Amino acid sequence: MTSGERGPQTGRTFDPWYSSYAERTAGLAASEVRALFAVASRPEVVSLAGGMPYVKALPEELIDSAFRAMMREHGSEALQYGGGQGIPEVREQILQIMALEGIVDASPDDIVTTTGSQHALDLVAKLFLDPGDVVLAESPSYVGAIGTFRSYQAQIVHVDLDDDGLIPEALEQSIARLRAEGKTLKFLYTIPNFNNPAAVTMSLERRARVLEICKREHILILEDNPYGLLYFGEPAPPAIRSLDAEHVIYLGSFSKILSPGLRVGWALAPHAIREKLILAVESSILSPSTFNQWVVTEYLRQSDWQQQIAGFRAVYKERRDAMDQALREHLPQLSWTSPDGGFFTWLRLTPELDSKEMLPRAVTELVAYTPGTAFYADGRGQQEIRLSFCYPTPDRIRLGVRRLANVINGELELLETFGTAARSRGEDRVTMPPPDIS
Amino acid sequence: MTSGERGPQTGRTFDPWYSSYAERTAGLAASEVRALFAVASRPEVVSLAGGMPYVKALPEELIDSAFRAMMREHGSEALQYGGGQGIPEVREQILQIMALEGIVDASPDDIVTTTGSQHALDLVAKLFLDPGDVVLAESPSYVGAIGTFRSYQAQIVHVDLDDDGLIPEALEQSIARLRAEGKTLKFLYTIPNFNNPAAVTMSLERRARVLEICKREHILILEDNPYGLLYFGEPAPPAIRSLDAEHVIYLGSFSKILSPGLRVGWALAPHAIREKLILAVESSILSPSTFNQWVVTEYLRQSDWQQQIAGFRAVYKERRDAMDQALREHLPQLSWTSPDGGFFTWLRLTPELDSKEMLPRAVTELVAYTPGTAFYADGRGQQEIRLSFCYPTPDRIRLGVRRLANVINGELELLETFGTAARSRGEDRVTMPPPDIS
C-alpha cells in the first residue's frame, strides 16, 4: 500500500495529481507505524524506538565557542554558498576521524561532505541504481537505507549474518543465485560496526573475505559506519575501506559523535565516483551548508573532541548495560544480541508473538520499540524487535523494559487463553520510518 | 560529453565502475566552464558570473543574536534530529514571508522545509519525472533546474518569453505540439519574478492566463521565487500560487533574503503532493537541519527582517543601476534586459559573436560572465550572456563591464580582420554550473 492509496486525504480519488507521479514514487511509502510513533513521542511513553543520540551529553559551551570562532574568522564564508564538495577544512579534519578507524591513505580530495550520511546514501543510490537493480544488504539492515534504495526502484536482497557479521558463504551463494537469475548486482550495503539493527560487528577476517568476494565479483561495497567510534570495550576492527581504496565507498557522519541537527556527513569514494558524487550533490542541493561545516570545523579545532567521544562512549555503555540487566531480569526467557557499541539491542521473540501486531498494545502500556519488520525488505522480522538505548536514561530504560515485559507476558497469556487463530497477519512492507527512528 | 567520458582521471578507461552507473548518471554532466570558473574566482578577476548574494550586507550581530537565542531556548532541539517536514516554528513564519507575495491562504501544514530550494527542485523532479517526461520551462531558464530535471532523464522544452514573461500563446502551442507527439507533460517550471537569467517579470494578466492554461491541460506549475522580495521599484505582481492553491507548487528560499550558507528553503504544495514531499525529504536526508531552521526562526524573531530585506533591495538596486550605466557607456551598440529586481542582467550579443567561445578570452582579460548556453537545454544562447550584479561592488561592476567591452570590441575587430570561418562551434550541452553561479 503506498501512501497515495491510503485514505481520503492522500487517496487516489482525492489526489488530482495521482496519475502524474513518477513510477518510482509508488515505492516511497510512509511507515505504517508513523501514526503510532506520533503517539509514542508523548513524554509519558518510554521510547525504545528512536535512534536519537543523547545530545545533552554534549556541553553546549563547545557549540558556543565553535560558533563564536566561526563568526570571528569565517563569518561571511559561513553565510555564503560553498563548493559542492564541501569546505576543504572539514574534509582535512575528517581524515583524522577516519584514521581512528584505520583509514590512513585517504585524501581530502576524495571526500564529499553531505547533508548527513543519509544524503550520501541517496546520492549513491541515484548514481548507481536503475529500476530492478539489486542491492545486497545484511539481514536485517538499516530501514532508512532500504527505503532510499527502494525509492530508486531497486530490489534489496538480504544476506544472512551471525554474531561475526555478514556470512561470506551466504554472500557468495546470493551472488551466484542472483547472477543465475540474470540480475544486475550494483553494490553490497553493509554496516560492519554495531549493526543497526542487528547489533553485531563484522570480524576482521570476514571483512577481508567479504572484500575479496566483492572484488572478484566486481561489486562495489557501500560501507556505512556512523557508530564505529562508539565502542564500549575494544575498538571495532579497522574499516573495510582501510583494506581497499578502489572497491569501497565509505560513509561517515557527525550525527552520532557530535550532533544530528547539523546534518553533516561524508562519503569517501574512489576517484571517479567521487567526481560524480560532487555533481550529484550540486544537482540535489547546490552545496552542503557552509555554516554547519564551519561549526563542525571550529568544534574540532576548539574542543578536545576525542575526549568528548569518550564521554559519549561512557554514556551509551551505561545504557547498554542497563538494557542488558533489565532484559535479564524481566525477559529471561528471550534471547537478544547485546552490542559492543552503538545504539541498539536486537531482541528475538518466541514464534507465537508478532512484533508489529504487538506494538499498539505496547504504546498503550507506555513503551515503544521498532518492530523487526522495518528492517527487512522481504517481510521477515515479525519475531524480532529493535530496542534502542541511546536516548532514554538508564532508569527510563529499566522502566521501559519492565513495561515491555508486561506487554509480552500479557500477550503470551492471551494467546494461551485464546490461541493464535484470531490474529490477522497482513503482508509486511518495508517503509520509511519517521526520522527519529533511524 | 558526460564527465565520465572526459579524460584520464574520470574517463571510461580509467573508471572501473563505468559500467555500473545508472542510466540517469549519463545526464549528470559537469559544467564545461567549471575549470574556467575556478580560474575566475581569483580576486583579480571581476566575476559577473556568480549568483552569490552580497551577505556582507547582513549585519553579523543579527546572526549572533539569533544563535544565542536559539542556544538559550532550544539548544538540545537544535542539535537533535527533527521531523522530515521541518520545524513548525519556521513554517509558521514562512507564512508571513509568503503573505508579502500575496499568498494569504496557506497553512504551515502544507509547507515542507528543504536544504535550500534546489533540494525542493530535486525532490519534485524525483516525485514526478519518469525518463522521457517533458518539463516546460522558460526560454531561457535557471541552469540548476535544467540540470536537475535532466538528472532524472526528463526532456526540457523551452517556451518563449518576452518583456512580460512567458507568452501564453507559445505555451499553448508547445503543449499542443508535444501532446500531438505523444509526450507526457509533467509540469511547467517558471521563475515569474526577475527571471534568472532572462531578467523579465511575468505580468499579472499573464500569470492568470498561464494558470488557466495549465489548469485546463492538467499541468502542474512549479513556481520558483527566490528573488520576489528583492524588487527595485514596485513589488512584483502577486505569486501565481496566490491565484490557485491546487495547481501550483511554490518554492521559496532564505538564500537571497538571509543567507545561502544556511541552506534553508521551502516548498508550499497541494496537500497530497506535500505528503509525498515529506517522504522524499526523509528518504534523501532524514530531516532538514534543525540547527539552521532554528537560526532562521530566531533571526526572524529577533530582528527587523523586513527592514533588512529593504536594505538588500537598496544594495542590489544600486548595483543594477551601476550595471545599466556601465553598459550604456561601454557597450551602447548592444541591447540588454535590465531587471526590476533580483540579481541578473541579460545581455544580447551581435550574431557574429559567441558567448561561450569568448569566455576564455574574457577570463584572460580578468572578467567572467555566464554564457547564455548554460540556460538552454537545446543548444541556444550563443548570442546571450548573463551578467550578475549581486556580488561585486558598483566600482567592480563598472570595471568588469569596461573589461567586457574591451573583450567584445577586440573580438569584433578580430572577426573583421579574419572573418568567422576559423571558429569551431561545438554542439552545446546544458550542464550543471558550479554552485556559485546559480
Side-chain angles (χ1 to χ4, degrees):
Chain A
M1 188 170 80
T2 71
S3 65
E5 292 163 355
R6 185 111 33 90
Q9 290 197 306
T10 56
R12 182 190 289 256
T13 328
F14 293 82
D15 180 0
W17 301 104
Y18 187 83
S19 61
S20 297
Y21 296 114
E23 266 188 41
R24 71 177 74 80
T25 300
L28 201 68
S31 171
E32 295 169 45
V33 293
R34 179 192 286 259
L36 218 51
F37 280 120
V39 178
S41 70
R42 296 196 323 252
E44 62 270 29
V45 176
V46 175
S47 179
L48 307 174
M52 296 197 295
Y54 188 66
V55 293
K56 285 178 187 148
L58 177 75
E60 289 187 2
E61 311 86 82
L62 299 182
I63 299 296
D64 271 335
S65 60
F67 173 81
R68 283 198 306 272
M70 168 180 87
M71 291 305 283
R72 204 166 51 234
E73 310 280 342
H74 315 281
S76 45
E77 278 167 273
L79 295 170
Q80 192 52 275
Y81 287 111
Q85 185 168 8
I87 66 171
E89 290 79 359
V90 81
R91 289 187 281 113
E92 278 285 352
Q93 292 167 316
I94 285 167
L95 294 183
Q96 298 169 42
I97 295 169
M98 293 195 300
L100 301 175
E101 312 260 11
I103 301 169
V104 294
D105 63 342
S107 155
D109 287 350
D110 290 331
I111 294 169
V112 181
T113 61
T114 54
T115 304
S117 64
Q118 183 75 26
H119 190 211
L121 280 177
D122 183 66
L123 298 179
V124 169
K126 185 176 179 185
L127 287 181
F128 283 97
L129 299 179
D130 283 314
D133 284 351
V134 169
V135 175
L136 298 163
E138 277 132 349
S139 178
S141 185
Y142 167 50
V143 54
I146 294 173
T148 295
F149 302 152
R150 283 218 158 166
S151 80
Y152 292 95
Q153 299 167 272
Q155 182 191 349
I156 291 91
V157 174
H158 291 288
V159 179
D160 282 347
L161 46 66
D162 61 20
D163 285 349
D164 287 328
L166 194 74
I167 302 170
E169 294 71 28
L171 176 63
E172 282 183 311
Q173 283 159 19
S174 293
I175 294 170
R177 178 175 57 78
L178 291 159
R179 288 255 159 88
E181 289 170 11
K183 301 282 190 185
T184 303
L185 279 65
K186 285 296 172 69
F187 53 80
L188 166 68
Y189 171 72
T190 176
I191 307 166
N193 295 332
F194 324 129
N195 183 289
N196 172 6
V200 300
T201 293
M202 200 188 296
S203 68
L204 181 57
E205 194 208 334
R206 291 259 177 105
R207 289 174 200 233
R209 280 280 292 140
V210 164
L211 172 65
E212 183 194 312
I213 294 165
C214 287
K215 277 174 77 162
R216 191 183 67 216
E217 301 288 341
H218 197 64
I219 293 171
L220 194 62
I221 296 175
L222 182 53
E223 179 177 27
D224 192 4
N225 187 24
Y227 309 106
L229 294 177
L230 299 177
Y231 49 84
F232 304 147
E234 290 299 299
I240 303 174
R241 170 58 182 75
S242 75
L243 310 175
D244 184 288
E246 293 306 318
H247 298 78
V248 183
I249 300 176
Y250 176 91
L251 307 186
S253 174
F254 287 100
S255 291
K256 278 80 184 182
I257 58 171
L258 175 54
S259 151
L262 296 170
R263 313 305 299 120
V264 181
W266 70 89
L268 170 68
H271 195 90
I273 295 174
R274 175 222 57 191
E275 284 295 299
K276 290 186 157 44
L277 270 174
I278 298 169
L279 298 175
V281 167
E282 291 172 0
S283 181
S284 74
I285 59 163
L286 291 182
S287 61
S289 168
T290 40
F291 193 82
N292 297 0
Q293 290 177 84
W294 276 112
V295 168
V296 171
T297 283
E298 289 298 345
Y299 166 79
L300 295 172
R301 283 179 183 167
Q302 306 290 321
S303 72
D304 185 350
W305 57 272
Q306 295 212 40
Q307 192 53 42
Q308 180 55 39
I309 293 175
F312 286 132
R313 279 197 286 266
V315 166
Y316 296 127
K317 179 181 188 305
E318 187 192 6
R319 291 169 186 211
R320 190 273 321 257
D321 291 345
M323 175 70 79
D324 260 356
Q325 196 194 9
L327 287 170
R328 276 196 303 268
E329 186 175 337
H330 299 293
L331 287 164
Q333 74 276 30
L334 297 186
S335 71
W336 59 90
T337 305
S338 174
D340 297 326
F343 284 6
F344 307 109
T345 295
W346 188 237
L347 178 68
R348 278 170 289 276
L349 301 179
T350 47
E352 62 273 39
L353 293 169
D354 184 308
S355 59
K356 200 161 78 181
E357 217 170 80
M358 198 172 70
L359 183 58
R361 186 181 310 248
V363 172
T364 309
E365 302 269 344
L366 305 180
V367 60
Y369 58 79
T370 310
T373 47
F375 307 98
Y376 293 89
D378 55 12
R380 283 182 287 168
Q382 282 102 334
Q383 275 75 54
E384 290 159 312
I385 277 180
R386 191 191 72 176
L387 298 174
S388 69
F389 50 79
C390 43
Y391 191 74
T393 59
D395 277 349
R396 297 276 289 173
I397 290 169
R398 284 184 279 268
L399 177 62
V401 171
R402 200 159 66 228
R403 288 175 181 170
L404 179 63
N406 283 341
V407 174
I408 288 175
N409 294 328
E411 188 89 347
L412 287 171
E413 276 171 36
L414 261 179
L415 287 170
E416 244 172 65
T417 315
F418 298 106
T420 63
R423 294 197 329 197
S424 69
R425 291 188 187 227
E427 189 174 323
D428 287 297
R429 183 185 168 82
V430 171
T431 50
M432 279 299 289
D436 72 344
I437 68 155
S438 62
Chain B
M1 187 169 79
T2 72
S3 65
E5 293 165 353
R6 185 107 37 88
Q9 289 196 308
T10 55
R12 180 191 291 256
T13 328
F14 294 84
D15 180 0
W17 302 103
Y18 186 83
S19 60
S20 297
Y21 296 114
E23 265 187 41
R24 73 177 71 82
T25 301
L28 201 69
S31 171
E32 295 169 46
V33 293
R34 178 192 286 261
L36 218 51
F37 280 120
V39 177
S41 69
R42 295 196 323 252
E44 63 270 30
V45 176
V46 175
S47 178
L48 306 175
M52 296 196 298
Y54 188 66
V55 293
K56 284 177 188 149
L58 178 75
E60 289 188 1
E61 310 86 83
L62 299 182
I63 299 296
D64 271 335
S65 60
F67 173 82
R68 283 197 306 272
M70 166 179 88
M71 291 304 283
R72 203 167 51 234
E73 310 281 341
H74 315 282
S76 45
E77 277 168 275
L79 295 171
Q80 192 54 274
Y81 287 110
Q85 185 169 8
I87 66 171
E89 290 79 0
V90 82
R91 289 187 280 113
E92 278 285 353
Q93 293 167 316
I94 285 168
L95 294 183
Q96 297 170 41
I97 295 169
M98 293 194 300
L100 300 175
E101 311 260 9
I103 301 169
V104 294
D105 64 341
S107 155
D109 288 348
D110 290 331
I111 294 170
V112 180
T113 61
T114 54
T115 305
S117 64
Q118 183 74 26
H119 190 211
L121 279 178
D122 182 67
L123 298 179
V124 169
K126 185 176 179 185
L127 287 181
F128 284 96
L129 299 179
D130 283 315
D133 284 352
V134 169
V135 175
L136 298 163
E138 277 133 349
S139 177
S141 185
Y142 167 48
V143 54
I146 295 174
T148 295
F149 302 152
R150 282 220 158 163
S151 81
Y152 291 96
Q153 298 167 273
Q155 183 191 348
I156 291 92
V157 174
H158 291 287
V159 180
D160 281 347
L161 46 65
D162 62 19
D163 285 350
D164 287 328
L166 194 73
I167 301 170
E169 294 71 28
L171 176 62
E172 283 182 310
Q173 283 159 18
S174 291
I175 293 170
R177 180 176 56 77
L178 290 160
R179 287 256 159 88
E181 288 171 10
K183 300 283 190 185
T184 304
L185 278 65
K186 285 296 172 70
F187 53 80
L188 166 68
Y189 172 73
T190 175
I191 307 166
N193 295 332
F194 325 129
N195 183 289
N196 172 6
V200 301
T201 293
M202 200 189 295
S203 68
L204 181 56
E205 193 210 332
R206 291 261 178 105
R207 289 173 200 233
R209 281 279 291 138
V210 164
L211 173 65
E212 183 194 311
I213 294 165
C214 287
K215 278 174 78 163
R216 191 183 69 217
E217 301 288 343
H218 196 64
I219 293 172
L220 194 61
I221 295 176
L222 182 53
E223 179 178 25
D224 192 5
N225 187 24
Y227 309 107
L229 295 177
L230 299 177
Y231 48 85
F232 305 146
E234 290 299 299
I240 302 174
R241 170 59 181 74
S242 75
L243 310 174
D244 184 287
E246 293 306 317
H247 298 77
V248 183
I249 300 176
Y250 175 90
L251 307 186
S253 174
F254 287 100
S255 291
K256 279 80 183 181
I257 58 171
L258 175 54
S259 151
L262 296 170
R263 312 306 299 117
V264 182
W266 70 88
L268 170 68
H271 194 90
I273 295 174
R274 173 222 58 190
E275 282 296 300
K276 290 186 159 42
L277 270 175
I278 298 170
L279 298 176
V281 168
E282 291 173 0
S283 181
S284 73
I285 59 162
L286 293 181
S287 61
S289 168
T290 40
F291 193 82
N292 297 0
Q293 290 177 85
W294 275 112
V295 168
V296 171
T297 283
E298 290 297 345
Y299 166 79
L300 295 172
R301 284 178 182 168
Q302 306 291 321
S303 71
D304 185 350
W305 57 271
Q306 296 210 39
Q307 193 51 43
Q308 180 56 39
I309 293 175
F312 286 131
R313 281 197 285 266
V315 166
Y316 296 127
K317 181 181 185 306
E318 187 192 5
R319 292 171 185 208
R320 190 273 320 258
D321 291 345
M323 175 72 78
D324 261 357
Q325 195 193 10
L327 287 170
R328 278 195 302 269
E329 187 174 335
H330 299 293
L331 287 164
Q333 74 276 29
L334 298 185
S335 71
W336 60 90
T337 305
S338 174
D340 296 327
F343 283 6
F344 306 110
T345 295
W346 188 237
L347 179 67
R348 279 170 289 277
L349 301 180
T350 46
E352 62 273 38
L353 292 170
D354 183 308
S355 60
K356 200 161 79 180
E357 217 171 81
M358 199 172 69
L359 184 58
R361 186 182 311 248
V363 172
T364 309
E365 303 270 343
L366 304 180
V367 60
Y369 58 80
T370 311
T373 46
F375 306 99
Y376 292 90
D378 55 12
R380 283 182 287 168
Q382 282 102 335
Q383 275 75 55
E384 290 159 313
I385 277 180
R386 191 190 73 177
L387 297 174
S388 70
F389 51 78
C390 43
Y391 192 73
T393 60
D395 277 348
R396 297 276 289 174
I397 290 169
R398 284 183 278 269
L399 177 62
V401 172
R402 199 161 65 229
R403 288 176 181 169
L404 179 64
N406 283 340
V407 174
I408 288 174
N409 294 327
E411 189 89 348
L412 287 171
E413 276 172 36
L414 261 179
L415 288 169
E416 245 172 63
T417 315
F418 298 106
T420 62
R423 294 197 329 195
S424 68
R425 290 187 187 226
E427 190 174 324
D428 286 297
R429 182 185 170 82
V430 171
T431 50
M432 280 298 289
D436 71 345
I437 69 156
S438 62

